Amino acid sequence: MQSLGFSHWTTILVLAGSVFSAGCRPSYEVDVVSAKQSGVAIKDMASELSPQDWPSWRGSQHDGVVRDAASIPGDGFQWPESAKVIWTSDVPGRGHSSPIVVGDAVYLATALDEEQQQRVLCFDRETGEVRFDKLIHQGNFPTDREVHKKATNANSTIASDGKRLYVTFFNSQSIFATALDMNGEEVWQTKVGMFVSRFGYAPSPILYQSLVIVSADNSGGGYIAALDTETGEVAWRIKRGDTDSYSSPTVANVGGRDQLLISGDGAVTSYDPATGELLWRTACISKATCGTVIAADERIFASGGFPDEETVCLTADGERVWSNETKIYEPSLLSQGGFLVAVSDDGIGFCWDAATGELHWKKRIGGNFSASPVAIGDVALVPNLDGDLHVFRIGERFEQIAKYRIGVDSYTSAAIHRGDLLLRVGGENLAKRLERLVCVQLIGDNVGQPVLIE
């Protein structure tokens, strides 16, 4: 999830209040559109991405696992005591949109609250130089009451198919999806639907064949919609519940079929990504969740949330395999090498056997976390809210490998590209918080300055 940055007690109190005041909040009727009704043809698009690209939230498969061989260290690699900063670039405004990398460019979304501007930025991958700064929305921001003080007006991570960029923003009491070409020129913009906000909007768009899929669980009337990537036309839109929830969807091939998976509204739910047709729904987890569902080895994993606390493993058909009473709220889970790894909001790390749920270790890592971990081979990397990047081994025993100082805080998740880490961090200039995009060399010749972004 693009972090909302809640403290636990604030979350509990405010969400509890939302339950009691739900009857006083506005609602609307979701405009349901079937795939048959829309007539939008869905095409199996040839990918224009390379294996090195990190094109969306948590990478190409939305699970945080690095699959580019050039980014995975070989046998005998020793993580350095310090790592090399390649470049840093100032990011105007504020956002929890994580960076994506496509080709020789890095993209992220940001919001300038005083100017009420929501923008998309492009940086040169090698130098950090700004290539373009595109204004998407001017004015009509939600009120301070509609966005949590630790959240932002640019939470969603951009998605790209190599031909266009797709970005979602909450503006004018609605969710808008906008497509840009790779040079920042607008191709189309679509109002996906109305949105009643409690803490702001968090989910990131994902791509499936010729569709961009947008979720918007909210108390006014939740929905998921699929838009044609070339035109922005609605291919289908389905209705969900009336719960304020914040998880991004994912598409995974499990059980011999593509499944659109999302947690929240008291369940993990599976849909046909081509049509929005319900495949199955398993009551579990909680009403409000933040993390993205992941799939590995024909199993589906999810955790959350409020008010209930559960981590669950399901079959490809939604049947329970195992579960426990652990809550991982903001960060998403990570599965690698037969292990399921998690870092809780309050800094507790967990590692379970993915097949059985047996707990291998539970360890206080340090600090509080909003970002989701990524895996490079058998190593996990995750930044905390103090600006420390923690690096530890994925395995039966906890092994702390390294700890790097990367900023004064870090809410977003990392992108990994050709052995380098791209991360949005908080810094300070004359005691004023600002944001920077930092490129850190993790794999290769690590002789250089320490990771310390002030």
Side-chain angles (χ1 to χ4, degrees), residues 227-454:
L227 313 179
D228 183 85
T229 54
E230 294 185 356
T231 66
E233 184 179 357
V234 175
W236 55 260
R237 186 191 290 112
I238 60 170
K239 185 176 181 179
R240 280 176 53 81
D242 59 356
T243 297
D244 294 307
S245 194
Y246 310 96
S247 293
S248 299
T250 189
V251 172
N253 187 276
V254 282
R257 59 184 175 179
D258 292 338
Q259 299 190 43
L260 171 62
L261 301 164
I262 190 169
S263 64
D265 198 28
V268 170
T269 308
S270 172
Y271 303 94
D272 183 336
T275 65
E277 177 187 356
L278 177 66
L279 300 179
W280 51 262
R281 183 181 189 275
T282 300
C284 59
I285 308 296
S286 190
K287 292 187 72 65
T289 65
C290 295
T292 297
V293 174
I294 62 170
D297 301 323
E298 293 299 305
R299 300 182 187 90
I300 295 165
F301 304 95
S303 190
F306 181 85
D308 302 311
E309 302 179 355
E310 183 179 26
T311 296
V312 67
C313 171
L314 305 174
T315 69
D317 296 319
E319 297 180 0
R320 285 175 178 266
V321 179
W322 58 262
S323 66
N324 58 48
E325 295 181 350
T326 302
K327 177 181 76 172
I328 311 298
Y329 192 21
E330 291 188 50
S332 297
L333 302 173
L334 182 67
S335 180
Q336 181 74 317
F339 299 100
L340 182 68
V341 173
V343 178
S344 68
D345 305 48
D346 57 357
I348 307 297
F350 299 85
C351 181
W352 298 280
D353 183 285
T356 67
E358 176 189 357
L359 179 66
H360 289 301
W361 52 260
K362 177 181 177 181
K363 178 75 174 180
R364 176 166 293 281
I365 294 177
N368 296 316
F369 290 79
S370 288
S372 299
V374 298
I376 302 178
D378 66 347
V379 173
L381 301 91
V382 59
N384 68 11
L385 295 180
D386 295 323
D388 297 321
L389 178 69
H390 290 266
V391 185
F392 59 89
R393 190 79 60 189
I394 301 171
E396 293 184 358
R397 291 175 297 277
F398 178 80
E399 178 189 347
Q400 179 84 38
I401 296 174
K403 177 182 173 183
Y404 304 132
R405 180 71 169 169
I406 54 172
V408 299
D409 59 47
S410 184
Y411 289 86
T412 68
S413 300
I416 306 293
H417 185 248
R418 299 201 306 267
D420 294 344
L421 176 144
L422 286 301
L423 194 62
R424 184 183 198 151
V425 303
E428 289 184 353
N429 184 7
L430 299 177
K432 179 181 179 182
R433 184 188 183 277
L434 52 80
E435 292 193 341
R436 290 193 177 104
L437 180 65
V438 56
C439 177
V440 178
Q441 185 178 7
L442 294 173
I443 312 300
D445 178 13
N446 282 282
V447 178
Q449 67 190 88
V451 177
L452 180 57
I453 310 301
E454 296 290 3

Side-chain angles (χ1 to χ4, degrees), residues 71-132:
S71 293
I72 301 175
D75 293 340
F77 175 83
Q78 297 294 316
W79 290 85
E81 292 183 4
S82 63
K84 186 177 181 180
V85 176
I86 306 299
W87 51 259
T88 65
S89 187
D90 289 346
V91 176
R94 187 164 176 250
H96 294 336
S97 168
S98 298
I100 67 167
V101 187
V102 179
D104 62 355
V106 184
Y107 304 90
L108 52 76
T110 197
L112 283 67
D113 291 338
E114 290 186 7
E115 296 87 344
Q116 291 210 7
Q117 294 180 348
Q118 289 164 317
R119 312 184 73 95
V120 168
L121 307 173
C122 174
F123 302 84
D124 185 277
R125 165 66 179 84
E126 300 304 320
T127 67
E129 180 181 355
V130 177
R131 289 187 177 178
F132 70 73

